[in-house]
Amino acid sequence: MLRISNSVELGDWEIEISQIRAQGAGGQNVNKVASAVHLRFDIPNSSLPPFYKERLMALSDQRISKEGVVVIKAQSHRTLELNKEDALARLRELIREAVKQQKVRKPTRPTKGSQRRRVDSKTRKGKTKSLRGKVKV
């Protein structure tokens, strides 16, 4: 079971984990042992609440395919167990970030003083640049 929040959990049957060989520079171990992990999670066919599914499908994340399958590759650790834990933690974090409410931005206006300083600096720059022209004799 993967616990997302107090009320939402994912069953082990919903998450498909397969072993693969890690990419990158070869060492004594990397070419022989399949210690990297591919995690696959099908969003539409999962037991997540509809709100979670909608928010996940609306994400523009390269790990989520058009069909709604999340693919996470974990290969940063040497052991299979640590890579599995890493992949599950990343899936949990992806789901949590998707349903987190974003703060609404309140548009603000620049102060009079900041507007005045901006215009003054622009006129100063303009004067400096006008002095760079050709000198008429």
Side-chain angles (χ1 to χ4, degrees):
M1 295 290 275
L2 180 65
R3 184 178 213 73
I4 305 299
S5 68
N6 292 336
S7 59
V8 179
E9 289 182 345
L10 294 176
D12 293 334
W13 58 270
E14 297 182 80
I15 301 168
E16 178 189 329
I17 296 177
S18 56
Q19 302 173 6
I20 57 168
R21 285 193 185 159
Q23 289 179 326
Q28 294 175 347
N29 215 27
V30 75
N31 295 326
K32 296 185 290 184
V33 181
S35 61
V37 168
H38 253 176
L39 180 142
R40 292 178 158 286
F41 175 66
D42 191 9
I43 297 169
N45 297 327
S46 68
S47 64
L48 284 174
F51 173 71
Y52 280 66
K53 291 180 184 181
E54 290 170 11
R55 295 294 292 265
L56 277 170
M57 293 299 284
L59 281 180
S60 61
D61 195 313
Q62 65 184 11
R63 296 174 289 187
I64 302 174
S65 69
K66 292 177 185 173
E67 294 80 33
V69 177
V70 179
V71 178
I72 295 176
K73 184 176 184 180
Q75 62 179 9
S76 57
H77 301 286
R78 278 181 69 103
T79 63
L80 181 68
E81 291 77 25
L82 287 176
N83 281 330
K84 278 184 185 178
E85 289 176 18
D86 182 38
L88 290 170
R90 284 163 49 190
L91 176 65
R92 181 185 304 117
E93 194 58 33
L94 176 71
I95 295 172
R96 283 184 181 167
E97 289 296 318
V99 296
K100 198 179 279 187
Q101 289 290 333
Q102 297 293 323
K103 288 185 180 178
V104 178
R105 182 188 176 276
K106 296 177 185 171
T108 58
R109 302 196 66 196
T111 61
K112 288 280 187 189
S114 68
Q115 289 176 349
R116 195 175 303 115
R117 286 190 297 272
R118 180 179 156 270
V119 172
D120 290 346
S121 70
K122 285 171 69 93
T123 54
R124 245 182 283 119
K125 278 265 198 235
K127 287 178 185 173
T128 305
K129 288 186 174 189
S130 67
L131 293 174
R132 293 181 190 158
K134 289 186 178 180
V135 178
K136 293 182 181 178
V137 181

